[in-house]
Amino acid sequence: EIRDFLCRTSILDRFNSQLSNATLGISDSSRILQRLEDTNLFLIPLDDERHWYRYHHLFADFLEMCLQEDHCHQISALHLRAADWFEQNGYISEALSHLVAAQDYSNAARLIELNAKGTLERSELAKLREWVAALPEEYIHDRPRLWIYYVWALRLGGSKFEVVESEIRGIEESLNKFSEKHLPLKIGDFYPQPEDEIRNLNAHLFALHAFQGVYSENFPRVFDMAEKAKSYHPDEKFVWSSLEFALGWAYRFSGELEPAHQAFVKSSAISREAGNIYMAVSTVCRAAYGQVLMGRLHQAEQTFLEAVKLASDKSVKKYPVAGYAFAYLGGIYHEWNDLKAARRYALEGIQLCERVGYIMDQVVGYVYLSRICLAQWDLIGAQEACQSAQELSQLMEDYKYVQRWVEDCQVRLWIAQEKDDSLINWVQSSDLKINGTPDFKRDIDHIILAKALVAVGMDYPTSSYLDDALLLLSKLYALAESAKWNGKTIEILVLQALALHSSGDTPEALNALEKALILAKPGGYIRTFVDQGQPIAELLQLAISKEISPIYSRRLLRIHESERQTRKEENKEALASTLVEPLSKRELEVLKMLASDLSGPEIARELSVALSTVRYHTNNIYRKLSVHNRRQAVLRANELDLL
């Protein structure tokens, strides 16, 4: 009796007495389970109440071998009875796994279809894709509504444009066949009116086409497809909320943040009324990011927290879609220099977004994590986070928007690593061009190019990089200011200030900095300034001397100085532990001259030595300080008080 029970319940990953009774067709499982537990045999309890149990994985494998030998003719029936119990008790994933194990794909497709919409609305896109992937294609294609929701999971999850486009074409062809042959369309266990179902499915298809327009940045297509979808007067709020969501994206990438905000708010209201948690939270998050673009960080924080609340059930369990809000909260708290909270939010955002199955906001989470690591001077952590973002972005390689987030992350990292060669190579190879026409697609992405040009230009002030940067920044400033994208305007003005100061036009640099400070103060911006390092500190000191936003400027300067001092102490300790030998007296003399404007031959004449001797000492200095060029050596020497 015990052997029979063990073997036949081995098909179950977990079990209790009710499930065991239903699967085995017996009525005394509780007695057998109690006997096994009393004798401490085989069972591993999964809860304190000892309601659910499982077998050790190795023992379960052995039991399945026994089942194949003794009861192979019963295996399919056991799976079907287990599937029935799981379905009746609301354990859909487990019911499906047993239906698939029994190769009852027809019932598996029925069960997925009945639960597809709810799974989407709970933001479990990855789960729905996983379910459908277990079915042979013909069982998906026989059920257009199941197929539609599967394509929604692909599109909302960030699958490639052509993959989704191919699936849409397949559904359209399938619907045409149903219409031509007047075949009934079954949903779950009932047949709706054919004309109503065709109408609603067509509305879904046009809504998907609208999303494809967002993905391909064809915004006229978005507006056109949305109108066509609405002309079918779909019965489902899912379609209406999706359409407003797509329109919100199209407005935003056209620079119109207010209409975008209204569309997102409308989508969220429709979704809440329908109980569609995924779309309700998604649209609130997109509206909040619009507030970030406008520079309204405090409003955005509250909106993101509202999204988190929406994504939490009564037991305070968070639906995966809460990850969207957490990822962006990481960005806000990074800007406010609350790096501990920023890291916590970013990491939780990444973890939850992975459960959603949406790649884009996972990338956003890693990008913000990289910025947080840079602020903490953790270059290795920043590199690892950037690499994770890069690898994920390859899964959406045809979506330019996600690529831009990764490029911005990489450019920031190269600047921190002082890799001018990498920056120059990227500037030369990028499809972002100085003479290009900046627009609102991808959040004014030419700012990334300007950032790289300014960084290289400050290292090579006699080159054309600063002139190119200033020309580009003037166009970017006019664009951002015209649409009140204040968050981007602040970033542009800070870059302008740095470029102008490096070009020798300090009055105009201070003018740009003053504008940036005025816009930034209400939102409490910190890292946009402080991350620029010593160059911005020099400008802030000048601003204070001229009474330009003195209180705010002093606060930013204090943060910079505090971080600089902390890094100096850390570098001292690191250098002390890694230097094979300290700098010699002659090397210290050479180092002090490297910090001056003297050229190599001039240093040689000053010291009355050969130029080759100066080069010999310089190479020793670079090696001992773990740097690669003169500028880096001077910066490191300043940090270590060697001058």
Side-chain angles (χ1 to χ4, degrees), residues 349-563:
I350 291 165
Q351 182 183 28
L352 287 169
C353 286
E354 186 177 358
R355 285 175 53 199
V356 177
Y358 185 41
I359 298 163
M360 177 67 222
D361 284 353
Q362 288 182 66
V363 170
V364 169
Y366 277 115
V367 167
Y368 282 137
L369 182 61
S370 181
R371 292 184 194 178
I372 294 160
C373 290
L374 285 178
Q376 296 172 325
W377 209 242
D378 176 10
L379 293 183
I380 294 174
Q383 177 68 63
E384 289 174 349
C386 191
Q387 183 64 34
S388 296
Q390 172 69 37
E391 290 170 0
L392 278 168
S393 73
Q394 296 308 306
L395 302 174
M396 297 178 76
E397 60 185 358
D398 57 348
Y399 190 30
K400 206 69 174 176
Y401 184 48
V402 73
Q403 303 304 323
R404 291 295 190 236
W405 274 82
V406 174
E407 285 178 307
D408 181 72
C409 184
Q410 186 63 73
V411 164
R412 289 170 185 262
L413 185 60
W414 283 331
I415 291 171
Q417 294 170 328
E418 300 178 342
K419 291 187 175 181
D420 285 344
D421 289 346
S422 297
L423 287 167
I424 291 169
N425 289 337
W426 179 81
V427 166
Q428 293 172 345
S429 62
S430 174
D431 62 324
L432 292 170
K433 300 300 179 186
I434 298 161
N435 58 358
T437 304
D439 55 33
F440 296 100
K441 291 179 182 177
R442 314 173 209 112
D443 303 340
I444 316 182
D445 53 2
H446 276 75
I447 295 174
I448 307 168
L449 176 59
K451 196 175 297 173
L453 289 169
V454 171
V456 177
M458 287 195 298
D459 287 345
Y460 300 96
T462 59
S463 68
S464 64
Y465 290 114
L466 287 177
D467 290 337
D468 291 339
L470 287 168
L471 178 64
L472 179 57
L473 286 164
S474 66
K475 292 191 287 186
L476 292 171
Y477 176 71
L479 182 73
E481 189 185 38
S482 69
K484 305 301 181 187
W485 282 41
N486 289 345
K488 294 296 180 180
T489 304
I490 294 165
E491 189 176 2
I492 292 164
L493 284 167
V494 169
L495 292 173
Q496 271 188 330
L498 294 172
L500 288 164
H501 187 49
S502 293
S503 299
D505 192 348
T506 300
E508 281 303 309
L510 287 173
N511 184 40
L513 179 63
E514 183 175 17
K515 290 179 183 177
L517 291 167
I518 290 169
L519 286 176
K521 186 177 179 181
Y525 283 76
I526 294 175
R527 296 307 321 180
T528 294
F529 296 90
V530 175
D531 284 344
Q532 309 307 321
Q534 189 58 32
I536 202 70
E538 294 172 8
L539 273 174
L540 288 169
Q541 286 172 335
L542 287 171
I544 293 166
S545 69
K546 295 185 179 297
E547 292 296 312
I548 296 173
S549 299
I551 296 174
Y552 193 22
S553 295
R554 285 192 186 93
R555 181 187 176 204
L556 294 173
L557 190 59
R558 279 197 302 270
I559 293 169
H560 164 79
E561 291 299 333
S562 174
E563 292 185 358

Side-chain angles (χ1 to χ4, degrees), residues 89 99 130 228 245 314 328 345 354 366 492 494 497 562 576:
N89 287 274
L99 288 171
E130 181 185 329
K228 288 181 177 176
F245 192 22
K314 292 179 181 178
Y328 288 96
Y345 280 130
E354 186 177 358
Y366 277 115
I492 292 164
V494 169
S562 174

Side-chain angles (χ1 to χ4, degrees), residues 291-302 304 331-332 335-336 522-526:
Q291 292 170 327
V292 171
L293 294 174
M294 289 188 280
R296 300 172 183 172
L297 297 189
H298 295 287
Q299 282 184 324
E301 178 204 23
Q302 292 307 309
F304 280 124
I332 289 175
E335 184 60 56
W336 288 340
Y525 283 76
I526 294 175

Side-chain angles (χ1 to χ4, degrees), residues 83-100:
D84 183 62
W85 187 90
F86 276 121
E87 181 180 353
Q88 295 302 319
N89 287 274
Y91 300 106
I92 306 304
S93 290
E94 287 163 300
L96 284 169
S97 68
H98 287 288
L99 288 171
V100 170

